[in-house]
């Protein structure tokens, strides 16, 4: 089975932490492996989305070009208890993190578990599709 690419950009390391948790979730599925890669800094990440809608709106608008290219979009279902417990990032639309205005908030345990759950779900679906 080929690797599943986990591609991310992280200015301060928080998104890298989430990407690594997604990769651990992928690799928790038998026969699946993750390849974690970053992209160089781009001006498009200025004024990143904020809590309460900005993250979700960004994730939703990112899905449109993916759908136009025939890609499959996979979310986090509400069967994941951390979606109801998180006080920061993590949505049904994807793994997220709220760093705070001073970038002083660490990735929470709920955010890490949601990223892991997303990676595990992605690997399980990819495995089924490859059969």
């Amino acid at each position: 089975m080929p690797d599943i690419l986990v591609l991310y950009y992280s200015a301060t390391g928080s998104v890298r932490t989430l990407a690594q948790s997604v990769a651990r979730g992928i690799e928790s599925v038998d026969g699946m492996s993750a390849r974690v890669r970053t992209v160089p800094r781009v001006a498009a990440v200025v004024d990143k989305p904020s809590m309460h809608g900005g993250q979700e709106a960004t994730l939703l608008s990112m899905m449109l070009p993916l759908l136009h290219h025939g890609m499959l979009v996979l979310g986090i279902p509400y069967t994941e208890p951390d979606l109801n417990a998180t006080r920061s990032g993590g949505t049904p639309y994807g793994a997220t993190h709220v760093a705070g205005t001073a970038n002083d908030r660490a990735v929470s345990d709920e955010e890490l578990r949601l990223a892991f759950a997303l990676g595990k779900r992605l690997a399980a679906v990819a495995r089924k599709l490859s059969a």
Side-chain angles (χ1 to χ4, degrees):
M1 165 97 9
D3 295 339
I4 293 176
L5 176 64
V6 179
L7 188 64
Y8 72 94
Y9 170 77
S10 183
T12 61
S14 297
V15 176
R16 177 181 52 236
T17 301
L18 289 177
Q20 291 167 340
S21 191
V22 168
R24 283 192 295 278
I26 289 168
E27 292 181 345
S28 74
V29 176
D30 277 347
M32 303 303 287
S33 60
R35 183 173 294 187
V36 182
R37 297 290 183 265
T38 187
V39 295
R41 184 180 186 110
V42 294
V45 294
V46 173
D47 299 326
K48 293 188 304 188
S50 61
M51 184 70 163
H52 304 298
Q55 291 177 328
E56 292 179 356
T58 299
L59 289 168
L60 287 169
S61 63
M62 287 170 46
M63 291 177 190
L64 297 176
L66 300 176
L67 292 170
H68 280 260
H69 288 284
M71 295 183 183
L72 301 176
V73 176
L74 190 68
I76 303 172
Y78 273 102
T79 53
E80 290 298 328
D82 284 311
L83 277 180
N84 294 310
T86 185
R87 297 281 182 229
S88 53
T91 74
Y93 310 110
T96 61
H97 168 67
V98 178
T101 56
N103 196 33
D104 57 352
R105 293 185 191 158
V107 177
S108 73
D109 291 340
E110 292 89 2
E111 292 168 333
L112 286 173
R113 286 191 298 265
L114 288 167
F116 181 92
L118 179 60
K120 184 174 182 176
R121 183 171 157 82
L122 171 62
V125 169
R127 187 174 183 189
K128 287 178 184 176
L129 291 173
S130 69

